[in-house]
Amino acid sequence: MRHISVLPSLTASSSAVISFRRSSSLFLNPTTNRLGFFRLRTMASHIVGYPRMGPNRELKFALESFWDGKSSAEELQKVAADLRSTIWKQMADAGIKYIPSNSFSYYDQVLDTTAMVGAVPPRYGWNGGEIGFDAYFSMARGNASAPAMEMTKWFDTNYHYIVPELGPDVKFSYASHKAVNEFKEAKALGIESIPVLVGPVSFLLLSKPAKGVEKSFSLLSLVENILPVYKEVVAELKSAGAAWIQFDEPTLVMDLESHKLQAFTHAYSELESSLAGLNVIIETYFADVPVEAYKTLTALKGVTGFGFDLVRGTRTLDLIKGGFPSGKHLFAGVVDGRNIWANDLSASLNILQALEDIVGKEKIVVSTSCSLLHTAVDLVNETKLDKEIKSWLAFAAQKVVEVNALANALSGQKDEAFFSANAAAHASKKSSPRVTNEAVQKAAAALKGSDHRRATNVSARLDAQQKKLNLPILPTTTLGSFPQTMELRKVRREYKARKISEDEYVKAIKEEINKVVKLQEELDIDVLVHGEPERNDMVEYFGEQLSGFAFTVNGWVQSYGSRCVKPPIIYGDVSRPKAMTVFWSSMAQSMTGRPMKGMLTGPVTILNWSFVRDDQPRFETCYQIALAIKDEVEDLEKAGINVIQIDEAALREGLPLRKSEQAFYLDWAVHSFRITNCGVKDTSQIHTHMCYSNFNDIIHAIIDMDADVISIENSRSDEKLLSIFREGVKYGAGIGPGVYDIHSPRIPSTEEIADRVNKMLAVLESNILWVNPDCGLKTRKYGEVKPALSNMVAAAKLLRNQLARAK
């Protein structure tokens, strides 16, 4: 079996090198090259984690080549080793003192932890020993005989993790030595790194009970069983020469009951003797740490330092000022790991100096707010951003520099020129006329006086729509995109590079749309889509046509596995200069007599999947986007498009982690969606789509969106969405819980899909149920899509016949 972790070559290939020396000369000081100054000092600086994909998505392409059988495991491992080597050297060259290892992953850090503790579900046929690529990627992606494990959002980010499946019979064992191997790998390069592990309590809290396990089963009952594996890992790291170890325990920012907090106390008390001789950091991120959690955390035994997100967790500052344990290190996360704006260095330095007075000069460490995984890699790679906007930004490589610049300033070695240039950039952003559009601000402000609901209730609207659309029971549809082939991407690339004319581009896209329309007609799908061949990304495509957005060339961010997104940058007020989708949707509708969906991305998703301006509340930006999408919806309706899907895939993602803040978010997020379609006719059917999150706790907000039809991910999450309807929630609009997982290459059978739909029919009325996949088909191949959709339609027809006979 092929192993995940081997000690690779220590020589970095040119293709995977991040040119940090070049980056440093540009961004350590905009006027002079002071790289040497920073390299001579190793100050108290720390990076929580770093992007894995590489500056040019080297890991993405290596993974996909390996999955396609075009390259070997050794070739994949070589690319991965080169990336790790370059990242470590980059941080060392910048002067970072505390450099993380084991923050790299071939797919996901939680899946890595599942492998480390040997918690492989039985369906993958793993029989012990070191977990190799076969079992690892089967868990992530599924295989011919077993579906993938559930994938869901990592807290409130657009990163996804693979959810561990645990039950009372799980046998934990030390089954992946990746953490130790990567520490040794760094050490061989002369890098004394801090190995990073997902902490044992957060790992359990982020898991789910395995299928068939009682709901009452407590995942925390497994603490005693899992700790021996962590003790083995710690012992190996100590033997390998580790001086520090970082446990990521991000669940401490959640609203945790007392018994869950007690689990942290118990776990680290049990680990205390094993951790003796090591310096231990407990890292938290993404929000404030609640008062009781702060007390629990700072009282943990055997812990050297605590890491806090002081960007999204500003109230944690008050807790620190109110009391911080004597002699402990504070890893102060003042550089934002989740956005791309340059740090306000003077403001951050003021915070750090105030904290220094509390915890002591030798005990404060400048850090990032969270892993830099959530930002783009290197601003040096951006050749098309204009000079003004570029001066406002900092990607991961630049944030490393910011961390060390702050650490040096805190120690009395302030680079005045660097700080002055930073202050000038902030002043430029604040005063730039391109940021503000008074007409847009006035229109958005006027929205606050109405709730923007459609005049007629959903039941009456559905009746009017059915008379117009004449759909069968259990109507079939897909959710927007069809496979994006290499040829199609080449056409878009060549058009963007002006290598082909607009007429040639339109002709090529028209041919692709026609192919997709004909395929859907052959498959006998009821409501069609045009396949989105003209779109690079569901957010970027719209952002490129809206004012107030900027775009990168290589600003890629990992979403899951090899999937990367390139979030737009919202730097100013948003408006729609002209129609964005009407031309293509009208063209597609002209090719068929069946209903053609107009496909739009909703305002909340555009917001949550962009790097958003930080100079006004997020809801104000969202209202601006909602008005722009409203204009597009009404233009589609005028053009004869009777079904319009407004995707809100990221609605749940933006939900604050603290319950006390959730109602306000849901109020403006749901309001933003309603704004987009409040003016359409009853006969215009408004769909929305959501995926890969836990929606059960916001189902009433989803109902309040007042969409006519909602399609929602269901199959990969073991149909837990259906449980809310079993528990009595009444839903009167149309609904399409996904019948198969599109993020796996596996093709479900007709019988499997029919079985899923039957489970839906047990809790939902047949007259509101739709049949569709979990999500769009962009990432799949036609060889997978055609048979899967054929089986989906066959299952719908089978059940229609059964329902007809039952009458």
Side-chain angles (χ1 to χ4, degrees), residues 116-118 170-175 197 200 204 221-236 266-267 270-271 274:
M116 183 184 83
V117 301
V170 64
K171 305 295 183 187
F172 293 117
S173 64
Y174 187 12
L197 301 176
L204 293 175
S221 67
L222 298 172
V223 167
E224 295 291 347
N225 299 4
I226 203 171
L227 289 179
V229 178
Y230 275 84
K231 290 177 181 179
E232 285 188 72
V233 178
V234 168
E236 274 202 18
H266 174 69
E270 287 293 307
L271 288 172
S274 298

mmCIF file of all heavy atoms in Angstrom, residues 116-118 170-175 197 200 204 221-236 266-267 270-271 274:
data_model
loop_
_atom_site.group_PDB
_atom_site.id
_atom_site.type_symbol
_atom_site.label_atom_id
_atom_site.label_comp_id
_atom_site.label_asym_id
_atom_site.label_seq_id
_atom_site.Cartn_x
_atom_site.Cartn_y
_atom_site.Cartn_z
ATOM 1 N N MET A 116 -4.135 9.668 11.542
ATOM 2 C CA MET A 116 -3.166 9.532 12.637
ATOM 3 C C MET A 116 -3.684 8.612 13.737
ATOM 4 O O MET A 116 -2.940 7.780 14.272
ATOM 5 C CB MET A 116 -2.854 10.911 13.219
ATOM 6 C CG MET A 116 -1.796 10.905 14.313
ATOM 7 S SD MET A 116 -1.552 12.537 15.051
ATOM 8 C CE MET A 116 -2.893 12.594 16.258
ATOM 9 N N VAL A 117 -4.979 8.731 14.054
ATOM 10 C CA VAL A 117 -5.526 7.925 15.148
ATOM 11 C C VAL A 117 -6.165 6.633 14.652
ATOM 12 O O VAL A 117 -6.774 5.891 15.432
ATOM 13 C CB VAL A 117 -6.538 8.743 15.989
ATOM 14 C CG1 VAL A 117 -5.870 9.974 16.580
ATOM 15 C CG2 VAL A 117 -7.771 9.137 15.174
ATOM 16 N N GLY A 118 -6.050 6.353 13.349
ATOM 17 C CA GLY A 118 -6.531 5.081 12.807
ATOM 18 C C GLY A 118 -8.023 4.910 12.820
ATOM 19 O O GLY A 118 -8.528 3.774 12.886
ATOM 20 N N VAL A 170 -15.007 2.048 18.020
ATOM 21 C CA VAL A 170 -13.822 2.466 17.261
ATOM 22 C C VAL A 170 -12.554 2.067 18.021
ATOM 23 O O VAL A 170 -12.470 2.216 19.235
ATOM 24 C CB VAL A 170 -13.850 3.984 16.977
ATOM 25 C CG1 VAL A 170 -13.793 4.812 18.250
ATOM 26 C CG2 VAL A 170 -12.721 4.381 16.040
ATOM 27 N N LYS A 171 -11.601 1.530 17.274
ATOM 28 C CA LYS A 171 -10.318 1.118 17.868
ATOM 29 C C LYS A 171 -9.235 2.076 17.387
ATOM 30 O O LYS A 171 -8.756 1.964 16.259
ATOM 31 C CB LYS A 171 -9.967 -0.321 17.458
ATOM 32 C CG LYS A 171 -11.024 -1.358 17.782
ATOM 33 C CD LYS A 171 -11.227 -1.506 19.285
ATOM 34 C CE LYS A 171 -12.249 -2.604 19.584
ATOM 35 N NZ LYS A 171 -12.598 -2.655 21.030
ATOM 36 N N PHE A 172 -8.895 3.034 18.238
ATOM 37 C CA PHE A 172 -7.870 3.987 17.849
ATOM 38 C C PHE A 172 -6.502 3.324 17.862
ATOM 39 O O PHE A 172 -6.189 2.509 18.735
ATOM 40 C CB PHE A 172 -7.857 5.179 18.808
ATOM 41 C CG PHE A 172 -9.098 6.035 18.744
ATOM 42 C CD1 PHE A 172 -9.926 6.156 19.847
ATOM 43 C CD2 PHE A 172 -9.429 6.719 17.587
ATOM 44 C CE1 PHE A 172 -11.064 6.948 19.811
ATOM 45 C CE2 PHE A 172 -10.572 7.513 17.523
ATOM 46 C CZ PHE A 172 -11.389 7.627 18.636
ATOM 47 N N SER A 173 -5.676 3.702 16.872
ATOM 48 C CA SER A 173 -4.305 3.205 16.828
ATOM 49 C C SER A 173 -3.446 4.212 16.077
ATOM 50 O O SER A 173 -3.952 4.957 15.232
ATOM 51 C CB SER A 173 -4.235 1.835 16.132
ATOM 52 O OG SER A 173 -4.629 1.949 14.773
ATOM 53 N N TYR A 174 -2.183 4.241 16.371
ATOM 54 C CA TYR A 174 -1.267 5.195 15.752
ATOM 55 C C TYR A 174 -0.976 4.702 14.337
ATOM 56 O O TYR A 174 -0.167 3.810 14.130
ATOM 57 C CB TYR A 174 0.002 5.278 16.593
ATOM 58 C CG TYR A 174 0.988 6.353 16.188
ATOM 59 C CD1 TYR A 174 0.668 7.365 15.293
ATOM 60 C CD2 TYR A 174 2.264 6.358 16.739
ATOM 61 C CE1 TYR A 174 1.583 8.340 14.952
ATOM 62 C CE2 TYR A 174 3.192 7.336 16.412
ATOM 63 C CZ TYR A 174 2.849 8.324 15.511
ATOM 64 O OH TYR A 174 3.767 9.281 15.180
ATOM 65 N N ALA A 175 -1.638 5.320 13.348
ATOM 66 C CA ALA A 175 -1.645 4.740 12.005
ATOM 67 C C ALA A 175 -1.091 5.663 10.921
ATOM 68 O O ALA A 175 -1.052 5.279 9.758
ATOM 69 C CB ALA A 175 -3.071 4.315 11.630
ATOM 70 N N LEU A 197 -0.835 19.838 15.721
ATOM 71 C CA LEU A 197 -1.815 18.755 15.766
ATOM 72 C C LEU A 197 -3.193 19.337 16.046
ATOM 73 O O LEU A 197 -3.318 20.274 16.839
ATOM 74 C CB LEU A 197 -1.476 17.751 16.870
ATOM 75 C CG LEU A 197 -0.122 17.049 16.811
ATOM 76 C CD1 LEU A 197 0.050 16.170 18.045
ATOM 77 C CD2 LEU A 197 0.002 16.213 15.545
ATOM 78 N N PRO A 200 -7.021 16.857 20.729
ATOM 79 C CA PRO A 200 -7.900 15.686 20.882
ATOM 80 C C PRO A 200 -9.353 16.033 21.164
ATOM 81 O O PRO A 200 -10.263 15.352 20.669
ATOM 82 C CB PRO A 200 -7.276 14.923 22.061
ATOM 83 C CG PRO A 200 -6.457 15.947 22.801
ATOM 84 C CD PRO A 200 -5.962 16.891 21.752
ATOM 85 N N LEU A 204 -12.655 15.362 18.570
ATOM 86 C CA LEU A 204 -13.869 14.619 18.930
ATOM 87 C C LEU A 204 -15.119 15.471 18.738
ATOM 88 O O LEU A 204 -16.144 14.996 18.230
ATOM 89 C CB LEU A 204 -13.772 14.135 20.375
ATOM 90 C CG LEU A 204 -12.695 13.068 20.653
ATOM 91 C CD1 LEU A 204 -12.620 12.758 22.141
ATOM 92 C CD2 LEU A 204 -12.954 11.801 19.848
ATOM 93 N N SER A 221 -17.040 10.643 25.172
ATOM 94 C CA SER A 221 -16.767 9.418 25.935
ATOM 95 C C SER A 221 -15.538 8.694 25.394
ATOM 96 O O SER A 221 -15.020 7.773 26.040
ATOM 97 C CB SER A 221 -17.982 8.485 25.876
ATOM 98 O OG SER A 221 -18.187 7.996 24.547
ATOM 99 N N LEU A 222 -15.062 9.129 24.206
ATOM 100 C CA LEU A 222 -13.896 8.495 23.590
ATOM 101 C C LEU A 222 -12.573 9.156 23.981
ATOM 102 O O LEU A 222 -11.517 8.753 23.492
ATOM 103 C CB LEU A 222 -14.040 8.526 22.061
ATOM 104 C CG LEU A 222 -15.251 7.771 21.493
ATOM 105 C CD1 LEU A 222 -15.387 8.045 20.003
ATOM 106 C CD2 LEU A 222 -15.121 6.271 21.751
ATOM 107 N N VAL A 223 -12.627 10.166 24.848
ATOM 108 C CA VAL A 223 -11.394 10.873 25.220
ATOM 109 C C VAL A 223 -10.345 9.910 25.754
ATOM 110 O O VAL A 223 -9.177 9.936 25.339
ATOM 111 C CB VAL A 223 -11.687 11.980 26.259
ATOM 112 C CG1 VAL A 223 -10.392 12.485 26.874
ATOM 113 C CG2 VAL A 223 -12.413 13.139 25.617
ATOM 114 N N GLU A 224 -10.739 9.052 26.671
ATOM 115 C CA GLU A 224 -9.772 8.119 27.269
ATOM 116 C C GLU A 224 -9.161 7.198 26.215
ATOM 117 O O GLU A 224 -7.991 6.820 26.311
ATOM 118 C CB GLU A 224 -10.456 7.267 28.350
ATOM 119 C CG GLU A 224 -10.952 8.047 29.545
ATOM 120 C CD GLU A 224 -9.813 8.593 30.402
ATOM 121 O OE1 GLU A 224 -8.661 8.164 30.213
ATOM 122 O OE2 GLU A 224 -10.094 9.459 31.246
ATOM 123 N N ASN A 225 -9.933 6.844 25.204
ATOM 124 C CA ASN A 225 -9.461 5.911 24.173
ATOM 125 C C ASN A 225 -8.499 6.561 23.193
ATOM 126 O O ASN A 225 -7.606 5.901 22.671
ATOM 127 C CB ASN A 225 -10.656 5.349 23.393
ATOM 128 C CG ASN A 225 -11.630 4.581 24.272
ATOM 129 O OD1 ASN A 225 -11.465 4.519 25.484
ATOM 130 N ND2 ASN A 225 -12.648 4.005 23.667
ATOM 131 N N ILE A 226 -8.697 7.854 22.940
ATOM 132 C CA ILE A 226 -7.884 8.509 21.912
ATOM 133 C C ILE A 226 -6.568 9.050 22.466
ATOM 134 O O ILE A 226 -5.583 9.184 21.724
ATOM 135 C CB ILE A 226 -8.704 9.630 21.230
ATOM 136 C CG1 ILE A 226 -8.140 9.933 19.833
ATOM 137 C CG2 ILE A 226 -8.755 10.897 22.069
ATOM 138 C CD1 ILE A 226 -9.011 10.856 19.003
ATOM 139 N N LEU A 227 -6.531 9.353 23.754
ATOM 140 C CA LEU A 227 -5.332 9.975 24.322
ATOM 141 C C LEU A 227 -4.071 9.114 24.216
ATOM 142 O O LEU A 227 -2.974 9.657 24.009
ATOM 143 C CB LEU A 227 -5.581 10.370 25.783
ATOM 144 C CG LEU A 227 -6.537 11.563 25.979
ATOM 145 C CD1 LEU A 227 -6.717 11.853 27.466
ATOM 146 C CD2 LEU A 227 -6.028 12.801 25.259
ATOM 147 N N PRO A 228 -4.160 7.789 24.328
ATOM 148 C CA PRO A 228 -2.945 6.991 24.159
ATOM 149 C C PRO A 228 -2.252 7.208 22.814
ATOM 150 O O PRO A 228 -1.022 7.179 22.736
ATOM 151 C CB PRO A 228 -3.443 5.544 24.314
ATOM 152 C CG PRO A 228 -4.632 5.662 25.201
ATOM 153 C CD PRO A 228 -5.286 6.952 24.804
ATOM 154 N N VAL A 229 -3.019 7.434 21.756
ATOM 155 C CA VAL A 229 -2.404 7.706 20.448
ATOM 156 C C VAL A 229 -1.673 9.044 20.494
ATOM 157 O O VAL A 229 -0.539 9.167 20.020
ATOM 158 C CB VAL A 229 -3.458 7.703 19.321
ATOM 159 C CG1 VAL A 229 -2.801 8.039 17.983
ATOM 160 C CG2 VAL A 229 -4.156 6.358 19.248
ATOM 161 N N TYR A 230 -2.318 10.054 21.051
ATOM 162 C CA TYR A 230 -1.650 11.355 21.174
ATOM 163 C C TYR A 230 -0.372 11.232 22.001
ATOM 164 O O TYR A 230 0.646 11.875 21.696
ATOM 165 C CB TYR A 230 -2.601 12.379 21.796
ATOM 166 C CG TYR A 230 -3.519 13.039 20.779
ATOM 167 C CD1 TYR A 230 -4.713 12.427 20.386
ATOM 168 C CD2 TYR A 230 -3.185 14.251 20.195
ATOM 169 C CE1 TYR A 230 -5.551 13.025 19.441
ATOM 170 C CE2 TYR A 230 -4.015 14.857 19.254
ATOM 171 C CZ TYR A 230 -5.191 14.241 18.872
ATOM 172 O OH TYR A 230 -6.007 14.830 17.927
ATOM 173 N N LYS A 231 -0.407 10.407 23.040
ATOM 174 C CA LYS A 231 0.803 10.218 23.861
ATOM 175 C C LYS A 231 1.929 9.583 23.046
ATOM 176 O O LYS A 231 3.102 9.956 23.176
ATOM 177 C CB LYS A 231 0.479 9.356 25.082
ATOM 178 C CG LYS A 231 -0.401 10.063 26.100
ATOM 179 C CD LYS A 231 -0.759 9.147 27.273
ATOM 180 C CE LYS A 231 -1.659 9.856 28.280
ATOM 181 N NZ LYS A 231 -2.036 8.971 29.405
ATOM 182 N N GLU A 232 1.571 8.641 22.170
ATOM 183 C CA GLU A 232 2.587 8.035 21.297
ATOM 184 C C GLU A 232 3.183 9.059 20.345
ATOM 185 O O GLU A 232 4.400 9.088 20.129
ATOM 186 C CB GLU A 232 1.964 6.887 20.487
ATOM 187 C CG GLU A 232 1.700 5.612 21.255
ATOM 188 C CD GLU A 232 1.263 4.489 20.315
ATOM 189 O OE1 GLU A 232 2.124 3.994 19.562
ATOM 190 O OE2 GLU A 232 0.065 4.139 20.320
ATOM 191 N N VAL A 233 2.325 9.891 19.772
ATOM 192 C CA VAL A 233 2.806 10.920 18.843
ATOM 193 C C VAL A 233 3.732 11.882 19.566
ATOM 194 O O VAL A 233 4.820 12.218 19.077
ATOM 195 C CB VAL A 233 1.620 11.682 18.213
ATOM 196 C CG1 VAL A 233 2.124 12.790 17.284
ATOM 197 C CG2 VAL A 233 0.704 10.737 17.451
ATOM 198 N N VAL A 234 3.325 12.328 20.748
ATOM 199 C CA VAL A 234 4.141 13.261 21.540
ATOM 200 C C VAL A 234 5.485 12.630 21.886
ATOM 201 O O VAL A 234 6.537 13.279 21.780
ATOM 202 C CB VAL A 234 3.382 13.686 22.817
ATOM 203 C CG1 VAL A 234 4.317 14.409 23.786
ATOM 204 C CG2 VAL A 234 2.189 14.576 22.453
ATOM 205 N N ALA A 235 5.476 11.367 22.274
ATOM 206 C CA ALA A 235 6.728 10.682 22.622
ATOM 207 C C ALA A 235 7.669 10.622 21.431
ATOM 208 O O ALA A 235 8.893 10.843 21.570
ATOM 209 C CB ALA A 235 6.426 9.275 23.145
ATOM 210 N N GLU A 236 7.148 10.331 20.263
ATOM 211 C CA GLU A 236 7.988 10.287 19.058
ATOM 212 C C GLU A 236 8.534 11.663 18.710
ATOM 213 O O GLU A 236 9.679 11.804 18.279
ATOM 214 C CB GLU A 236 7.200 9.723 17.871
ATOM 215 C CG GLU A 236 7.208 8.217 17.792
ATOM 216 C CD GLU A 236 6.912 7.710 16.368
ATOM 217 O OE1 GLU A 236 7.028 8.492 15.403
ATOM 218 O OE2 GLU A 236 6.559 6.534 16.245
ATOM 219 N N HIS A 266 -9.702 17.650 31.598
ATOM 220 C CA HIS A 266 -9.344 16.249 31.804
ATOM 221 C C HIS A 266 -8.288 15.785 30.805
ATOM 222 O O HIS A 266 -7.294 15.144 31.184
ATOM 223 C CB HIS A 266 -10.596 15.380 31.681
ATOM 224 C CG HIS A 266 -10.313 13.909 31.736
ATOM 225 N ND1 HIS A 266 -9.886 13.271 32.883
ATOM 226 C CD2 HIS A 266 -10.354 12.946 30.766
ATOM 227 C CE1 HIS A 266 -9.693 11.987 32.633
ATOM 228 N NE2 HIS A 266 -9.970 11.764 31.350
ATOM 229 N N ALA A 267 -8.484 16.115 29.533
ATOM 230 C CA ALA A 267 -7.573 15.629 28.494
ATOM 231 C C ALA A 267 -6.152 16.131 28.721
ATOM 232 O O ALA A 267 -5.184 15.354 28.655
ATOM 233 C CB ALA A 267 -8.075 16.058 27.119
ATOM 234 N N GLU A 270 -4.476 14.585 31.664
ATOM 235 C CA GLU A 270 -3.996 13.238 31.333
ATOM 236 C C GLU A 270 -2.726 13.281 30.481
ATOM 237 O O GLU A 270 -1.877 12.384 30.576
ATOM 238 C CB GLU A 270 -5.093 12.478 30.581
ATOM 239 C CG GLU A 270 -6.255 12.032 31.434
ATOM 240 C CD GLU A 270 -5.831 10.967 32.439
ATOM 241 O OE1 GLU A 270 -5.233 9.963 32.034
ATOM 242 O OE2 GLU A 270 -6.076 11.177 33.646
ATOM 243 N N LEU A 271 -2.601 14.302 29.654
ATOM 244 C CA LEU A 271 -1.433 14.423 28.774
ATOM 245 C C LEU A 271 -0.234 15.070 29.469
ATOM 246 O O LEU A 271 0.872 15.061 28.926
ATOM 247 C CB LEU A 271 -1.788 15.252 27.537
ATOM 248 C CG LEU A 271 -2.691 14.600 26.491
ATOM 249 C CD1 LEU A 271 -3.103 15.630 25.439
ATOM 250 C CD2 LEU A 271 -1.984 13.417 25.818
ATOM 251 N N SER A 274 3.092 13.242 29.765
ATOM 252 C CA SER A 274 3.668 12.975 28.443
ATOM 253 C C SER A 274 4.262 14.243 27.837
ATOM 254 O O SER A 274 5.249 14.189 27.091
ATOM 255 C CB SER A 274 2.596 12.427 27.491
ATOM 256 O OG SER A 274 2.079 11.213 27.963
#
